[in-house]
Amino acid sequence: MTVAPPPSPLPALGVVVVAYGSADVILDCLESLVASTGVRLAIVVVDNASPDGTPDLVRRWASGAPHAPPPLPFPLLPSRGPRPLRASGESPLPEEGHGVTLIEAGGNGGFAAGVNLGLARLAAEPALDRFWILNPDSVVPPGTARALATHPAPPGGFALLGGRVLYLDDPDRIQIDGGTIDRRTGVTGNLGLGQSHRATPPPDPARVDFVTGASMVASRAFHERAGPLPEHYFLYYEEVDWALRRGGLPLLHCPEALVFHRAGTAIGSPAPGRPASPFSLYFKHRGRLRFVRRHLPLALPGAWAYSLAKAAQLALGGHRAEARAVLLGSAGRPPPPAVRARLSPEALRRLGA
């Protein structure tokens, strides 16, 4: 009598979700992750000292408090608790199902600092060789995680893997299929921006310069080669800089990996019908000029010309606070009062303000 071999274990994927002031969105994200099928997830939530009680909310959810997500572009049934949090000395990856770990950073060191705490925890688990960085204001269909965990890699491996990010408020509209860099100014662009999801084919990975930090998967080989995300940007351009450290490892795109993103709920990033906030503009242009000085020094005149033109455009439109944020960020000066008021003392120390 022939005994059939045991079924192969499900593929595993590490997930890092960095939260700051995310109490209004984090449980929707977690509910969608734990509904993932055909995969085991090691989910690490890193809280950057949220002022709104995000860690306590996550603990209550983990202890069994119900949460019903709002209507989404895909079916999602609320999970059944409790969902015990993994202990600090315990592997973040359970033998079956999904595991959730909560790390409280104790301060707000910026997006990259939070991601790096999560990556360090996941990298200590040898069964994981892919690490998914996902924004807390995102929700994912049940098949997205498996698609990212199993997407074929070339023989030599890959650096970063992305998918299609769609606007949650307008689920047929693409936010980004992959990022591009204008090497004359350092300005980044979004492939597919505003186009119809149903009518737009996947991008050519050869056109992609970086994968958005809202949803990107790093391979273990890339993480070991490139090191942690650069933390001196605080916000924006970390993933752009990281992608340029990949050497010969390629960037990949997974067409089946859909992510629905609320876009800028915490920092006021631009969205359809909504301009960027002074907070977003300050860090966007601060990061861009830092990136240009590091990687494209010959483009500094073009980068500054863009900053001046952008500030003038905003000022002429009556957006003086936004224009000032662009100029202060580009010059690497301390943030304006409206931006300072939203930053912790530790964050201000990191910024030299």
Side-chain angles (χ1 to χ4, degrees):
M1 178 177 177
T2 303
V3 178
S8 300
L10 292 175
L13 181 66
V15 189
V16 179
V17 179
V18 175
Y20 178 78
S22 304
D24 57 338
V25 294
I26 186 69
L27 296 190
D28 294 345
C29 179
L30 291 176
E31 284 284 348
S32 72
L33 284 171
V34 299
S36 297
T37 57
V39 67
R40 288 185 299 150
L41 297 182
I43 304 164
V44 176
V45 178
V46 180
D47 184 78
N48 275 353
S50 290
D52 62 354
T54 295
D56 289 337
L57 186 69
V58 172
R59 277 190 283 265
R60 287 197 297 271
W61 172 82
S63 69
H67 175 75
L72 298 174
F74 53 89
L76 180 64
L77 296 175
S79 66
R80 295 182 178 180
R83 317 157 188 92
L85 295 175
R86 312 291 286 177
S88 59
E90 191 177 9
S91 167
L93 181 68
E95 293 184 2
E96 58 182 36
H98 309 307
V100 181
T101 301
L102 175 64
I103 297 176
E104 294 190 65
N108 185 7
F111 173 71
V115 169
N116 289 335
L117 283 174
L119 288 177
R121 182 67 180 273
L122 293 174
E125 170 51 64
L128 295 170
D129 60 6
R130 296 186 183 190
F131 313 120
W132 185 15
I133 299 161
L134 180 69
N135 270 17
D137 54 356
S138 300
V139 290
V140 299
T144 290
R146 179 177 172 83
L148 291 171
T150 60
H151 186 76
F158 71 95
L160 298 164
L161 167 65
R164 172 164 287 178
V165 180
L166 302 164
Y167 287 107
L168 180 59
D169 295 340
D170 188 355
D172 187 51
R173 186 181 298 191
I174 299 170
Q175 182 186 8
I176 187 169
D177 265 347
T180 62
I181 306 167
D182 185 334
R183 285 169 169 77
R184 301 165 298 176
T185 61
V187 173
T188 56
N190 292 12
L191 290 174
L193 178 64
Q195 296 178 13
S196 166
H197 165 51
R198 289 189 296 267
T200 305
D204 177 0
R207 296 183 57 204
V208 176
D209 292 323
F210 67 94
V211 177
T212 176
S215 175
M216 65 175 171
V217 174
S219 70
R220 180 180 287 274
F222 168 75
H223 183 240
E224 292 175 350
R225 172 181 296 186
L229 267 171
E231 297 184 8
H232 65 283
Y233 291 100
F234 194 80
L235 285 174
Y236 293 117
Y237 276 83
E238 304 96 334
E239 75 271 43
V240 187
D241 189 310
W242 213 30
L244 295 192
R245 302 183 186 185
R246 64 185 183 271
L249 293 174
L251 304 179
L252 303 181
H253 182 86
C254 178
E256 298 80 20
L258 300 181
V259 170
F260 294 89
H261 187 209
R262 286 187 173 91
T265 58
I267 58 179
S269 300
R274 185 188 70 207
S277 67
F279 190 93
S280 173
L281 287 167
Y282 174 80
F283 283 106
K284 184 81 169 182
H285 292 275
R286 178 182 182 271
R288 180 172 59 86
L289 267 292
R290 285 188 166 226
F291 174 82
V292 167
R293 292 187 189 99
R294 182 169 186 173
H295 293 285
L296 305 170
L298 296 180
L300 272 171
W304 262 108
Y306 181 88
S307 293
L308 294 172
K310 185 67 176 178
Q313 178 192 45
L314 289 166
L316 291 172
H319 303 289
R320 294 186 177 276
E322 290 82 357
R324 186 183 181 206
V326 169
L327 294 176
L328 290 176
S330 298
R333 301 289 302 277
V339 176
R340 291 177 63 97
R342 296 185 57 188
L343 296 170
S344 67
E346 178 190 351
L348 290 170
R349 283 195 300 272
R350 281 180 174 257
L351 296 172

